[in-house]
Amino acid sequence: MARDPTQTAKRSKRVFQVYGCVVTCQDMVEHKDPSREFDKADYYAHPEHYSPTFHEKVAPYASVIVNCMYWERRFPRLLSNEQLRGLMKKGCPLIGIADITCDIGGSMEFVNQTTSIESPFFRYNALRDSYHRDMEGDGVICAAVDILPTEFAKEASKHFGNILSEFIGKLASSIDIAQLPGHLRRACIAHRGRVTALYEYIPRMRESDSESMPVNLVKKPAYSMRKFTELVSLSGHLFDKFLINEALNIIEAAGGSFHLVKCQVGQNADAPSYSELEVGADDREVLDQIIDSLNSLANRSENGPQPDNRTSSTSKTVGTVVNNVTKSSCDPENTSSVLILGAGRVCQPAAELLASIGSTSYHQRHDSHLKVDSEEQGHVQVVVASLYLKDAEETIEGIPNATAIELDVTDHGSLSKCISQVDVVISLLPALFHVTVANACIELKKHLVTASYVDDQTSELDEKAKDAGITILGEMGLDPGIDHMMAMKMIDQAHQRKGRIRSFTSYCGGLPSPAAANNPLAYKFSWSPAGAIRVGRNPALYKSHGETIHVDGDKLYESATRFRIPELPAFALECLPNRNSLLYGDLYRISKEASTIFRGTLRYEGFSEIMGTLAKVGLFDTEAQMILKNSQRPTFRTFLLKLLKLEKEDLDKASVGEKEIAQQLLILGHCTEEGTALRTAKTVLFLGLHEQMQVPASCQSAFDVTCLRMEERLAYSSTEQDMVLLHHEVEIEYPESQHEEKHCATLLEFGRTKNGKTTTAMALTVGIPAAIGALLLLENKIKTRGVLRPIEPEVYVPALDILQAQGIRMMEKIE
């Protein structure tokens, strides 16, 4: 209600009025045909018939938007980046977005990251298309806390507490849960630090999930090492009537073991649950006995009394054999072996994939891609070798069919002995060891796979490998590796249609996920920073519209360009030229037809400005005078002040704050923009280069100091994910039909967390392709001998299929 200006009465308190409205889908869109009214059923079925109107009818008048709507890519966005930019230019009063859905790049396109309870906001400046982690400045404040549903409302918590308080006394004071009322006794999952009898199935089934080795109470051999196995389906009231405990007891009491393949729990009292177990035994008669006992349990539960004296009308078969195929898991004639050299981060995904071959879960994912008969494909025994046995043992923990050994590859006798006992070798060692391993493989006529570049020394082994009848398959990782496969698939398809490649551009980067890019540099290291820093100092060569362009190493950061992937608009990226792109013109057989050949490294926007400034400061210098000048080790603070030429009589009292550092960077001419200077200053402080801590004796140069601090401060936490992004664009012209096409392929992979343990996206996208290479050689799908890259159809066609089966998928589009 508007206030009458003629009234002069003063109010003692300030009054705030908040107006709210609920917006439904009919307020967000309108039919493209003006004569048609909004129809909800039609909108859900054909969203392409509707145009977005929220940015015109609602958003211009809103100060705060709370977004709770369900969204799929087929529907119009609530607000796109372009729409928000237009609103901001018109002076829209919007100051905040609370995105409850937390769909990254979803209905609110500019929400490209989630936030936490402790730090719930970020700021998006639509006019500059920039993201900020502070609250001060222009832009819209965004809250996107993905775990917000776990934060119970105060009223709900109080209500729940009031109800629980009626039972808490008995629960807290009870020593013997048998004395509790039945409804409480059956609800007690754990008591006195242990799982209660009714819920024993929980740890037993968790330890026997779809990928890890089952561990049962009597410590019987793992199912995958059993001679006979069968897939058994259990359906009915398995959990609410605790029949699953009896089923597992039957298996273990008979001396068998089990492996959980699938589990679906009924969502209400009337709905049955469903599980699939792969049951194993060393004796066929024992396995038959187990199956008979499970069928007896099923019949009893169908016809007999149920707990609480109720008869189940919905508890159907509790134990039925779905797949009566017996397979020999450990038949020596049906088992292959792979030796993996090196037990680093990349090793585990490779070992897991190879060790799963032959299992039911593997065939469920891969049979349609590999087109093999489950009867014919055997198991793979994996041997992981490391200089330190402990590293190998930690790598294979929880992986069936895997063995850890200690091996020094410089010991030719030991190396040869290990290689002689396997079918294929994967070397995940540093590249300098590959030739040693390759020569041993040639001598013993064993195939070899690596994820490293094929260098000149390896290439020279081509004839020797052919004479030995073996394949040395190199560059079977991410970059190089998956990038080759994606590129050659697109290029070969174009050539088969008589097209000419006019332009080939490729972009790849290992990055933190948006949520983990929580430092001024928006970058983190899952390995030593030294290599990444050196790469940023390499010269680059590429071809653009027929012109060959050379970039000096010290100018590389200055050559970075802003980059966007249309399929992933939420990612604000930049691109750096990546070494010699012209080599790939010859490798991909497109040098004579492509006027543009470019390969770039991806980083989040702003990375190069900061790194380029740090380089000018001297933080990447490898000379030692800055550290060794004084006999007494300097502190990080004095080291920084010397680099910034801020020496004073009393260095300890010199001001080393963000403003002072930024101002000095501008004075010294290391950067010309105040924004870049401030971001660099924040990075310097984040790395702790202002601290009064003594520089370790291991640091002999400014480069060493920077690498040390980056390794300490820019590491992933145990709960953070990394991200791999690979994007190809191929422009094609077809002379016969006189039309043009643009083919795009994008791979986006995040680190995966399972059982509290995170496997990085980098490890997955390097380790899994290496394992696939070994698998293809085991199955003789690669028939070419000699030194090989994955640029031929016999490699990349099946490899890309298996990658997809493993959940590593490429988004492809033709324009």
Side-chain angles (χ1 to χ4, degrees):
M1 179 176 179
R3 182 182 176 186
D4 186 348
T6 62
Q7 294 179 351
T8 58
K10 295 183 178 180
R11 297 178 179 178
S12 59
K13 294 183 179 180
R14 297 179 64 188
V15 176
F16 296 92
Q17 292 177 314
V18 177
Y19 297 91
C21 66
V22 176
V23 179
T24 62
C25 51
Q26 68 184 30
D27 306 307
M28 303 176 189
V29 297
E30 64 182 12
H31 203 285
K32 291 180 179 179
D33 183 351
S35 63
R36 298 278 301 274
E37 294 184 356
F38 176 84
D39 182 272
K40 188 174 182 179
D42 179 60
Y43 174 56
Y44 284 166
H46 301 287
E48 69 277 6
H49 295 164
Y50 292 79
S51 300
T53 60
F54 179 84
H55 66 291
E56 297 173 340
K57 295 183 177 181
V58 179
Y61 312 102
S63 299
V64 176
I65 297 174
V66 180
N67 180 31
C68 309
M69 75 178 222
Y70 174 78
W71 183 80
E72 296 177 6
R73 290 193 177 277
R74 61 195 185 97
F75 293 106
R77 284 189 165 91
L78 196 65
L79 273 181
S80 69
N81 290 358
E82 190 62 35
Q83 290 167 353
L84 181 61
R85 190 175 299 113
L87 290 172
M88 293 297 102
K89 287 180 179 179
K90 295 177 182 178
C92 173
L94 185 63
I95 58 174
I97 299 286
D99 194 349
I100 309 300
T101 68
C102 294
D103 291 331
I104 302 303
S107 57
M108 296 286 188
E109 184 180 11
F110 46 89
V111 176
N112 72 341
Q113 57 194 277
T114 59
T115 56
S116 65
I117 297 296
E118 296 78 14
S119 181
F121 303 107
F122 67 88
R123 178 167 56 88
Y124 174 66
N125 188 324
L127 298 179
R128 295 189 176 183
D129 191 21
S130 60
Y131 291 83
H132 309 272
R133 292 171 181 81
D134 57 9
M135 301 279 286
E136 299 177 2
D138 296 331
V140 177
I141 302 300
C142 302
V145 181
D146 55 350
I147 63 167
L148 194 62
T150 65
E151 297 290 306
F152 287 109
K154 182 178 180 181
E155 294 82 358
S157 298
K158 186 176 181 180
H159 176 69
F160 179 77
N162 289 339
I163 295 175
L164 185 63
S165 64
E166 298 178 16
F167 307 100
I168 201 69
K170 289 183 179 180
L171 287 171
S173 61
S174 177
I175 298 176
D176 182 4
I177 63 171
Q179 299 175 0
L180 291 173
H183 59 282
L184 290 182
R185 184 173 63 253
R186 289 191 297 274
C188 283
I189 298 175
H191 180 66
R192 299 177 70 87
R194 298 184 62 181
V195 174
T196 58
L198 290 177
Y199 294 92
E200 277 184 349
Y201 68 86
I202 294 176
R204 294 159 78 181
M205 296 184 76
R206 285 184 65 187
E207 290 167 349
S208 173
D209 62 19
S210 60
E211 295 293 338
S212 62
M213 181 189 301
V215 180
N216 47 53
L217 297 180
V218 292
K219 302 295 182 184
K220 295 293 181 183
Y223 81 99
S224 58
M225 302 300 290
R226 299 294 191 154
K227 191 173 182 180
F228 301 97
T229 60
E230 284 192 4
L231 185 65
V232 176
S233 115
L234 309 176
S235 61
H237 286 270
L238 304 176
F239 304 103
D240 53 346
K241 300 187 184 301
F242 305 105
L243 293 172
I244 190 66
N245 282 323
E246 295 185 58
L248 300 186
N249 288 339
I250 287 171
I251 296 169
E252 293 173 344
S257 54
F258 63 89
H259 171 67
L260 180 63
V261 176
K262 185 183 295 183
C263 183
Q264 296 176 348
V265 180
Q267 298 301 301
N268 56 56
D270 296 324
S273 298
Y274 176 81
S275 290
E276 285 185 7
L277 299 176
E278 192 166 12
V279 181
D282 293 327
D283 187 279
R284 178 72 252 181
E285 292 184 3
V286 172
L287 184 57
D288 289 341
Q289 178 188 345
I290 292 172
I291 301 302
D292 289 343
S293 298
L294 291 174
N295 281 321
S296 297
L297 173 64
N299 294 331
R300 175 171 62 82
S301 61
E302 271 191 338
N303 305 316
Q306 303 297 321
D308 298 334
N309 298 317
R310 290 180 295 171
T311 300
S312 171
S313 60
T314 60
S315 184
K316 301 175 183 177
T317 305
V318 177
T320 55
V321 179
V322 176
N323 185 357
N324 211 12
V325 176
T326 303
K327 59 177 179 290
S328 173
S329 300
C330 294
D331 182 356
E333 296 181 359
N334 204 29
T335 301
S336 305
S337 54
V338 175
L339 171 65
I340 303 180
L341 301 175
R345 293 182 177 90
V346 173
C347 178
Q348 190 168 30
E352 287 179 339
L353 172 56
L354 290 169
S356 72
I357 293 170
S359 68
T360 300
S361 58
Y362 175 85
H363 287 300
Q364 288 174 337
R365 292 194 304 266
H366 293 78
D367 280 357
S368 61
H369 296 278
L370 296 177
K371 297 179 176 61
V372 298
D373 187 346
S374 298
E375 291 278 341
E376 298 178 358
Q377 188 178 34
H379 289 250
V380 175
Q381 182 67 36
V382 179
V383 181
V384 175
S386 175
L387 184 60
Y388 302 103
L389 180 61
K390 183 180 178 182
D391 292 343
E393 290 175 336
E394 290 177 352
T395 296
I396 68 165
E397 184 179 354
I399 302 178
N401 298 343
T403 305
I405 64 171
E406 185 176 305
L407 176 64
D408 182 353
V409 295
T410 61
D411 182 341
H412 181 72
S414 298
L415 177 63
S416 297
K417 181 179 179 180
C418 291
I419 292 176
S420 67
Q421 297 173 355
V422 300
D423 299 292
V424 176
V425 178
I426 298 176
S427 178
L428 300 176
L429 298 168
L432 62 94
F433 292 108
H434 289 336
V435 172
T436 300
V437 175
N439 280 315
C441 289
I442 290 171
E443 181 182 341
L444 297 164
K445 298 184 178 181
K446 305 291 183 180
H447 298 302
L448 172 65
V449 180
T450 80
S452 302
Y453 285 101
V454 175
D455 58 16
D456 292 340
Q457 283 186 296
T458 305
S459 296
E460 291 171 0
L461 298 176
D462 183 54
E463 290 301 323
K464 288 184 179 181
K466 289 178 179 177
D467 293 341
I470 71 164
T471 300
I472 298 176
L473 178 58
E475 304 189 5
M476 199 67 184
L478 168 67
D479 179 2
I482 299 177
D483 60 339
H484 288 329
M485 296 185 248
M486 289 172 60
M488 291 312 300
K489 176 186 175 183
M490 301 164 77
I491 291 169
D492 284 349
Q493 286 177 346
H495 284 162
Q496 288 168 7
R497 296 170 58 198
K498 298 182 180 181
R500 290 175 55 85
I501 308 302
R502 189 175 64 187
S503 171
F504 172 80
T505 53
S506 173
Y507 311 87
C508 187
L511 300 161
S513 66
N518 49 12
N519 61 67
L521 203 56
Y523 193 73
K524 290 190 176 179
F525 296 94
S526 55
W527 65 94
S528 171
I533 293 174
R534 290 192 179 100
V535 166
R537 311 287 283 169
N538 287 332
L541 189 67
Y542 62 94
K543 186 163 65 171
S544 176
H545 303 289
E547 180 184 358
T548 299
I549 298 174
H550 179 271
V551 181
D552 292 332
D554 58 353
K555 301 292 184 181
L556 190 70
Y557 287 126
E558 296 178 16
S559 69
T561 55
R562 182 179 175 183
F563 180 74
R564 293 288 186 277
I565 297 176
E567 292 75 20
L568 302 168
F571 292 107
L573 303 167
E574 63 179 34
C575 177
L576 292 157
N578 187 358
R579 292 182 281 193
N580 188 354
S581 298
L582 301 186
L583 296 175
Y584 291 81
D586 296 331
L587 188 64
Y588 297 160
R589 301 181 283 273
I590 58 173
S591 291
K592 295 181 180 180
E593 54 188 292
S595 60
T596 295
I597 301 174
F598 177 86
R599 281 170 48 89
T601 300
L602 295 178
R603 295 289 182 262
Y604 286 119
E605 195 171 328
F607 173 88
S608 294
E609 288 182 348
I610 296 174
M611 292 292 281
T613 306
L614 294 178
K616 292 176 181 178
V617 171
L619 282 169
F620 301 152
D621 288 347
T622 56
E623 296 181 3
Q625 74 271 14
M626 204 60 75
I627 301 299
L628 300 179
K629 188 173 182 180
N630 301 320
S631 57
Q632 183 178 0
R633 304 299 297 179
T635 64
F636 288 106
R637 181 189 182 89
T638 55
F639 159 72
L640 174 64
L641 291 171
K642 287 177 180 293
L643 284 178
L644 294 177
K645 304 187 186 312
L646 286 171
E647 300 98 327
K648 296 184 179 180
E649 292 183 3
D650 189 349
L651 290 174
D652 290 338
K653 293 183 180 179
S655 296
V656 193
E658 183 180 312
K659 292 182 179 179
E660 289 79 11
I661 294 173
Q663 183 179 7
Q664 190 66 6
L665 292 173
L666 294 169
I667 291 173
L668 294 174
H670 294 327
C671 54
T672 57
E673 295 183 2
E674 185 177 354
T676 301
L678 285 170
R679 287 192 292 272
T680 305
K682 288 181 179 179
T683 303
V684 168
L685 296 177
F686 182 84
L687 293 176
L689 295 176
H690 64 300
E691 295 176 352
Q692 292 280 22
M693 185 185 300
Q694 195 175 63
V695 174
S698 59
C699 295
Q700 297 295 305
S701 67
F703 178 79
D704 293 341
V705 173
T706 305
C707 288
L708 172 70
R709 276 318 208 184
M710 284 187 167
E711 191 166 3
E712 292 174 347
R713 302 297 174 92
L714 299 178
Y716 288 92
S717 73
S718 59
T719 59
E720 290 179 329
Q721 291 178 311
D722 72 326
M723 179 180 83
V724 164
L725 180 55
L726 175 60
H727 180 75
H728 286 339
E729 294 181 0
V730 180
E731 295 181 7
I732 309 160
E733 58 183 7
Y734 295 93
E736 292 184 1
S737 59
Q738 295 185 345
H739 80 282
E740 299 177 352
E741 288 181 349
K742 182 178 179 181
H743 290 208
C744 299
T746 306
L747 181 153
L748 177 63
E749 184 69 28
F750 292 91
R752 302 176 186 175
T753 301
K754 180 180 177 183
N755 297 330
K757 186 175 183 179
T758 299
T759 303
T760 66
M762 188 62 70
L764 290 166
T765 52
V766 175
I768 289 177
I772 291 172
L775 172 60
L776 296 178
L777 288 168
L778 286 173
E779 296 180 339
N780 200 28
K781 291 185 179 293
I782 300 175
K783 301 187 182 298
T784 302
R785 300 298 177 242
V787 178
L788 194 64
R789 293 179 175 90
I791 58 174
E792 303 300 335
E794 66 174 332
V795 181
Y796 72 70
V797 171
L800 287 173
D801 283 343
I802 302 173
L803 279 169
Q804 184 172 354
Q806 282 290 316
I808 300 176
R809 298 179 177 87
M810 277 63 73
M811 300 179 287
E812 298 186 58
K813 182 179 72 172
I814 299 178
E815 297 176 355

